[in-house]
Amino acid sequence: MIRTERLLLRLPVPQDDLTEFVRDGQVQQWIGGGVDDTPQTVLERWLGRWERNGIGQFVVDLGGELIGRVGFIVWDARTWETSTYELAGAHAETELGWAILSRHWGRGYATEAARAVLRWGREQAHGRIVSLIEPRNVRSVRVADKLGAVPEQLVQTEHGPTLVWVHTQ
């Protein structure tokens, strides 16, 4: 668990209800949510990342309410597909990502949560930490900028063109 001024960042548990998160179209458009995603499949994906990589996505909890997720996904830079440290080897890129329910946008929760997890991740992640952001996602671009990340290159993922931001601080 990680505590910030306003938030609790904790590991997901099987009892977490991700229904609102999965159904929030304003969030899902930026994070590649699929039409076949269910709250259960998304939760299983989050739990699996922790098991396979020793890092993953934290639940963002505001006063007992799940308002999003922040944490890490491992990508293989050869294909820009999600992977594991074991499979990607030297080509592994650790992404710090954030997604807050749209009804909570504009309050600084994404920046607060991402900053805390970035500090934690510096000791846990393998290699550098990046953020993959769709260039039109101005809210996430703003968060990356506030975190001191710098844009490096445009890559193609299954979700389309994505800008790689490198966390240098």
Side-chain angles (χ1 to χ4, degrees):
M1 283 192 308
I2 301 170
R3 290 194 184 274
T4 69
E5 182 179 332
R6 302 176 292 173
L7 305 169
L8 172 65
L9 311 173
R10 62 170 177 77
L11 296 180
V13 295
Q15 298 78 22
D16 284 326
D17 182 0
L18 303 184
T19 302
E20 184 178 6
F21 183 82
V22 170
R23 291 186 180 157
D24 190 330
Q26 292 183 77
V27 171
Q28 296 303 316
Q29 73 172 329
W30 301 119
I31 63 172
V35 295
D36 295 331
D37 280 348
T38 67
Q40 188 60 36
T41 59
V42 171
L43 182 61
E44 289 169 3
R45 197 164 41 237
W46 292 2
L47 293 169
R49 288 178 177 141
W50 280 100
E51 289 175 21
R52 289 186 302 276
N53 294 307
I55 62 171
Q57 292 154 319
F58 291 90
V59 166
V60 179
D61 181 309
L62 175 66
E65 178 188 4
L66 187 155
I67 66 163
R69 60 104 169 125
V70 62
F72 300 102
I73 299 173
V74 177
W75 294 81
D76 186 324
R78 294 171 292 194
T79 61
W80 289 105
E81 294 176 354
T82 57
S83 189
T84 64
Y85 285 131
E86 183 179 358
L87 292 173
H91 302 281
E93 288 277 14
T94 305
E95 177 199 12
L96 170 62
W98 47 84
I100 301 295
L101 292 173
S102 60
R103 64 186 174 88
H104 290 283
W105 287 356
R107 297 182 182 130
Y109 296 136
T111 303
E112 182 177 330
R115 185 172 283 127
V117 171
L118 179 59
R119 278 194 300 269
W120 177 88
R122 293 259 182 242
E123 297 179 13
Q124 310 300 323
H126 300 199
R128 70 183 189 162
I129 298 175
V130 300
S131 289
L132 301 177
I133 303 173
E134 207 274 9
R136 295 173 298 153
N137 186 347
V138 294
R139 290 178 179 277
S140 280
V141 166
R142 201 167 331 149
V143 172
D145 190 52
K146 288 178 183 178
L147 296 174
V150 294
E152 179 184 75
Q153 65 176 321
L154 191 65
V155 299
Q156 186 69 33
T157 71
E158 66 181 303
H159 308 294
T162 304
L163 195 54
V164 177
W165 289 73
V166 180
H167 293 275
T168 59
Q169 301 177 8

